[in-house]
Amino acid sequence: MKNEVHCLISAGPTREWLDPVRFISNPSSGKMGYALANAAKARGLKVTLVSGPVTLPCPTGVDRILVNTAFEMQEVMGQHFPASSLTIMTAAVCDQRPKVFHEQKIKKDKVSEIIELVPNPDILLSLGKHKRIDQILVGFAAETENHIAHAKIKLQQKNLDWIAVNDVSGNQAFESDDNQLTLISNHGQSIIFEKEDKISLAKKILDLVYP
Ligand code: CTP
């Protein structure tokens, strides 16, 4: 449809492979991103969900693109970003990947005790650099300490309109159905949400970031 408003959401972890049977990743369940995709669809937006490996079903009516590595996620996000009015990065992108990918399974007696890592691209940072005035960009900060201060730095550095701050101490936010968030805007607004289920939270976040 011609006048559809596009919404682009990333969710879940990325996997960074050492060889065909081993990878580095994190426990992100994708629940927050999938809840946002459902909520955005319910509001009549045309939703593209770029998802790392999770066990959740594709939300009805949402266009889901499955990716694996940070590089794959970056490519797909970059393709869809220009057409997106509202972009939300909830994905737990691995910041590093093994320097060398071994085409063949490394035999156990040959696995090095030290795996050399190199930095992955910061997807949100690059989206922020290309953001137009008519686009809204939202990030999710995963923090274990100094949550608000760290999130405010990310809000500025990545040129975001909003950032939602997650406490990921002990993986509680990653795997739980509930979450406790603070949403901060680039205009200095700060909204603290009580702990509640991610589906209700997703609706409240959308009400604020895309009224
Ligand atoms: N992000 C991204 N690409 C990365 C790392 C993070 O796009 N390589 C995005 C996440 O999807 C999230 C935001 O940046 O929306 C903040 O992610 P977070 O993990 O909290 O912060 P980092 O930028 O990775 O910084 P640090 O690890 O130092 O906290």
Side-chain angles (χ1 to χ4, degrees):
M1 250 193 290
K2 211 172 160 199
N3 293 326
E4 276 179 326
V5 176
H6 290 243
C7 173
L8 177 62
I9 298 173
S10 72
T14 64
R15 287 181 178 173
E16 311 302 327
W17 296 83
L18 177 64
D19 72 8
V21 299
R22 300 179 180 94
F23 57 79
I24 295 169
S25 192
N26 60 66
S28 171
S29 65
K31 286 176 186 168
M32 194 67 241
Y34 276 60
L36 282 160
N38 265 312
K41 179 67 198 167
R43 281 164 155 251
L45 305 186
K46 178 176 163 44
V47 183
T48 301
L49 176 61
V50 180
S51 175
V54 297
T55 56
L56 302 170
C58 179
T60 309
V62 164
D63 181 15
R64 181 171 71 166
I65 302 170
L66 295 172
V67 295
N68 204 282
T69 64
F71 268 114
E72 287 171 15
M73 184 172 280
Q74 183 185 41
E75 195 182 333
V76 178
M77 291 299 289
Q79 280 165 4
H80 288 81
F81 183 64
S84 172
S85 299
L86 171 64
T87 301
I88 308 176
M89 280 283 309
T90 71
V93 184
C94 290
D95 289 316
Q96 287 90 20
R97 67 183 183 282
K99 184 175 183 185
V100 178
F101 171 71
H102 298 262
E103 297 284 344
Q104 306 303 329
K105 180 184 172 191
I106 308 168
K107 302 309 286 177
K108 65 184 169 198
D109 54 344
K110 297 283 190 310
V111 177
S112 161
E113 281 174 21
I114 297 169
I115 298 169
E116 202 175 339
L117 301 176
V118 292
N120 265 337
D122 188 322
I123 301 169
L124 190 55
L125 183 79
S126 71
L127 297 180
K129 284 183 181 154
H130 294 102
K131 188 180 71 164
R132 299 185 311 264
I133 191 102
D134 62 326
Q135 291 181 300
I136 294 170
L137 188 57
V138 184
F140 268 70
E143 307 293 349
T144 59
E145 57 170 355
N146 299 330
H147 306 71
I148 303 297
H150 284 150
K152 282 183 175 168
I153 292 169
K154 290 174 188 171
L155 179 78
Q156 295 303 324
Q157 281 179 342
K158 304 195 191 204
N159 191 26
L160 309 178
D161 298 282
W162 295 88
I163 194 156
V165 194
N166 256 325
D167 183 358
V168 291
S169 314
N171 294 336
Q172 58 204 15
F174 275 137
E175 287 168 358
S176 169
D177 286 338
D178 297 331
N179 207 358
Q180 199 281 314
L181 286 177
T182 301
L183 191 61
I184 304 169
S185 83
N186 64 353
H187 292 108
Q189 256 179 296
S190 188
I191 300 108
I192 300 169
F193 296 108
E194 294 302 319
K195 185 171 178 177
E196 65 180 318
D197 66 279
K198 289 176 179 174
I199 293 166
S200 312
L201 263 178
K203 291 177 189 153
K204 291 182 181 173
I205 291 169
L206 274 188
D207 284 344
L208 284 158
V209 304
Y210 202 75

